[in-house]
Each structure stands twice: as C-alpha cells, then as structure tokens.
Amino acid sequence: MKQTPNETPKKHRGLWWKILLPILILVLLAANFVPLNNWFIEMPGSAEPLAQYVKVDGKRDTAKGSFSLTTVGIAQATAMQLLLSKTRPYEDIVSRNDVMGGEDNATFDRVQQYYMTSAINNAIAVAYKAAHEQYTIHYLGIYVLAVESKSAFAGKLQVGDTITKVNGRHFNASTGYINYIRQHKVGDTVTLTYTRGSKTLTASGKLYRLAQTKKPGIGITLTDRTKVTTKIPVSANVAQIGGPSAGLMFSLQIYDQLTGSKLRQGRHIAGTGEIAPDGTVGQIGGPEKKVYIAAKEGATIFFAPHTKVTKAIKKLDPGFEDNYAVAKKAAEDSHLKITVVPVEKFGDAVKYLQTH
C-alpha cells in the first residue's frame, strides 16, 4: 500500500514527540524558575509581631495579643509568576526601576536599613515623650541618600555616608549645613568630613550650581541622621526588614511596654505609617496589601495613615490617594474581618485603643 502525501508514519510521529517533550519541559522549567532581571512582583508580605524585636529595660513583652508591623513582599518575577499574578489578590508587576530607582541591590538595601533605623529612633522619641520619660536626641550629621553625577564628590561620597563637618564646622541640623554652603560661591572648594562605617574620612571638591535651586551646592540628596538615647534602656532589632513604614507600630509597642498601659487587651493589632519626631503619622506604600495580610494573619484592628485630600495636595500630586481610604476600600472589597482606623497622630491610635 502506498503512503499518501498527507500521511506521516507512526514512527516519525513518535520521534517528533521525543524531540518536543524535552523542549516543552525546559520551557516550563524556565518559565517557573528563571528570574526576569528587570521585573518584580509586589505582593502582600507578612504581619510581624513586634514583641519579638523590642526590649524595654531589658525585658520583652509577654502580655496577650500583639502589635504587628506589616510588610509588602517583593520577589523577582519569572514568566509564570507574571501570569499567575493576574489571578492573585493585590499582586502587582513592577519594574526594577520602580522598586530600586536605579540603585544596585546593595545600595537599595543599605538605604532601606537606614530608613528602618531612623523609624525606630523616631518611634523611641515619640513613645518616651508620650510616656513623660527621659530621652535625648543626638544629631549625628547628614546622611547621604544619593550623589549626583555632576557633583565633584561623585566617586568620593557613597550612599550611606554621614557628613559630620563642612570645612571643619559641625551643625545640629541639615539646614545649618545648607545655609553655610550657600554663603559660598559656585566654584569654591569645600572639604567634607564624613563617616563610613567605623572610619572617618575627608574629601574636597568644588561647589556647583544646583539645577533646582540655582544655588551653590555639593550635589547630594540628603536627610538628617540622629540617634536617641534614653534613661530607661530600649532596644529593637528587626533583622532584614527595611523601610520607614513600621514607625507607628514601634511607637505603640514601646509606649505600651514603657507605661504598662495594656492597650492591646489581648487583641491582635496591626498597622502601618511612618512616624515623625512630633508624632505625625505619614503616608506609606501598599496599604491595600498590608491590610490584606494583616487580616489574613489574624489582626482585628488596622491603623492606617490618614491625610485629608485638599485641592493643594491634588495640585501637587494629581494621583495622590489617602492610605486610610485605600486600606478601607480593600478591606470592604475583600470582605476582610478587620476594622480600619484612620490616624493622623500617634495620640489618635492611643486614644482609639483606650476608648474601644
């Protein structure tokens, strides 16, 4: 019997399967396990009880209930995870630049650890002030967050350095350094003294005209670096968690231990929000992800930063969304059994727990 042109011998079909099957397996393995360097999945992270991290007067909190910080998880994406993220609640695809802003991994981690250290310092100050206990804020200097490529100090200063003197002068706030530098002219040479780890170093360079202010400057993005010391000792060690958003919850944990107020009453309480030294609670990222994971891990109360959206705010940032409004909507949309509470100041959270 003759083979027609459209027929393929069975042994040839079997051969094709032997070739295609390993290729398909390799493709599936690659889709599952090979990371895509420029893409990440942002997702609900975890709710971490703070009693495991905080000691006040050498003691841990052993009372029932918990104050928990909440996190947003970030994982390098694979092709399969990109597809699956479309089916999972509150998972978003973000680029490397969205996450790290052009920084390498080590620099990004260093900045995030600084933010957490700063958040804990502010939380200690706020809690001790509210408890009428003694504390002192020590100004260490200017923390370097970024160095502009045009700066004469590019390649000399690094992210994470702390500038302690300019031309031998130390000031007690970044405004002091900025005002001093502005007394000079573009092209003047200044000498910076700075710390890097345990080392003290110096570097000299010329000032140049900053693009935004048109004033002379050294060309860095900066923030104040402080350290808080207290009469009653307090410590907080949060391992690898970074960022500023745990400030409010650290304040509550420290205050409750310091005063013995028993604010929790056995309840599992979570929340988020950056804390300023004056107790103001600032907006953060991912409130919908944080309230979701808080509810899933058993919290019944979630504190969320609240900022009244004014015309002025909308003009400056048309896409601005209040954390409280976003978190409350997420809780309602997902039918979460959790009460979302708006807070503008540290005292708002304390008052809520005292009266509810």
Side-chain angles (χ1 to χ4, degrees), residues 313-327:
I313 289 175
K314 277 295 186 182
K315 186 175 180 180
L316 287 172
D317 183 4
F320 178 84
E321 290 184 290
D322 174 42
N323 281 174
Y324 165 66
V326 173

Side-chain angles (χ1 to χ4, degrees), residues 36 51 84 104-105 110 122 127-128 141 143 160 168 202 222 244 256 287 327:
L36 304 174
L84 291 175
D104 59 44
N105 290 356
R110 191 158 57 244
N122 288 346
Y128 274 66
Y143 185 88
T202 60
L222 59 88
D256 206 29

Side-chain angles (χ1 to χ4, degrees), residues 55-59 128 230-235 258:
K55 285 184 180 180
V56 174
D57 204 13
K59 303 181 183 71
Y128 274 66
T230 60
K231 186 174 181 180
I232 299 173
V234 57
S235 64
L258 195 59

Side-chain angles (χ1 to χ4, degrees), residues 13-241:
R13 290 200 297 269
L15 181 62
W16 278 112
W17 271 110
K18 289 180 181 178
I19 295 171
L20 287 173
L21 189 58
I23 293 173
L24 288 171
I25 291 172
L26 287 173
V27 168
L28 288 172
L29 288 172
N32 271 292
F33 299 108
V34 177
L36 304 174
N37 288 332
N38 292 321
W39 296 101
F40 291 80
I41 304 294
E42 202 174 69
M43 67 193 80
S46 62
E48 303 282 339
L50 289 174
Q52 63 185 312
Y53 300 124
V54 176
K55 285 184 180 180
V56 174
D57 204 13
K59 303 181 183 71
R60 293 200 186 277
D61 185 353
T62 57
K64 291 182 179 180
S66 61
F67 287 116
S68 294
L69 65 81
T70 48
T71 70
V72 172
I74 298 176
Q76 200 160 21
T78 65
M80 185 62 72
Q81 286 170 336
L82 290 179
L83 291 173
L84 291 175
S85 68
K86 299 294 185 181
T87 66
R88 294 169 176 164
Y90 305 112
E91 289 198 6
D92 297 313
I93 301 167
V94 293
S95 69
R96 173 177 285 274
N97 190 64
D98 290 335
V99 175
M100 298 185 175
E103 297 173 342
D104 59 44
N105 290 356
T107 301
F108 175 78
D109 289 342
R110 191 158 57 244
V111 171
Q112 293 305 304
Q113 285 301 309
Y114 162 76
Y115 282 139
M116 176 58 84
T117 301
S118 179
I120 291 171
N121 271 318
N122 288 346
I124 292 170
V126 168
Y128 274 66
K129 182 178 181 179
H132 306 290
E133 295 291 350
Q134 186 176 329
Y135 71 98
T136 305
I137 299 176
H138 306 273
Y139 185 78
L140 302 181
I142 293 173
Y143 185 88
V144 179
L145 292 170
V147 184
E148 294 184 12
S149 59
K150 293 180 181 179
S151 171
F153 294 92
K156 300 175 183 178
L157 289 176
Q158 294 180 7
V159 173
D161 291 343
T162 300
I163 299 171
T164 57
K165 295 177 183 178
V166 178
N167 291 342
R169 300 186 180 211
H170 176 78
F171 298 91
N172 289 323
S174 57
T175 51
Y177 289 97
I178 293 168
N179 291 334
Y180 174 73
I181 287 171
R182 285 179 177 175
Q183 295 172 14
H184 293 72
K185 296 178 182 179
V186 171
D188 284 354
T189 298
V190 297
T191 299
L192 306 180
T193 303
Y194 59 98
T195 59
R196 180 179 297 161
S198 60
K199 296 180 180 179
T200 299
L201 305 168
T202 60
S204 297
K206 292 183 177 181
L207 302 177
Y208 75 105
R209 193 179 306 280
L210 302 177
Q212 289 185 331
T213 64
K214 309 302 181 185
K215 303 287 186 180
I218 60 177
I220 64 170
T221 303
L222 59 88
T223 187
D224 287 331
R225 184 171 188 179
T226 61
K227 182 180 180 181
V228 176
T229 57
T230 60
K231 186 174 181 180
I232 299 173
V234 57
S235 64
N237 180 8
V238 290
Q240 299 303 311
I241 301 173

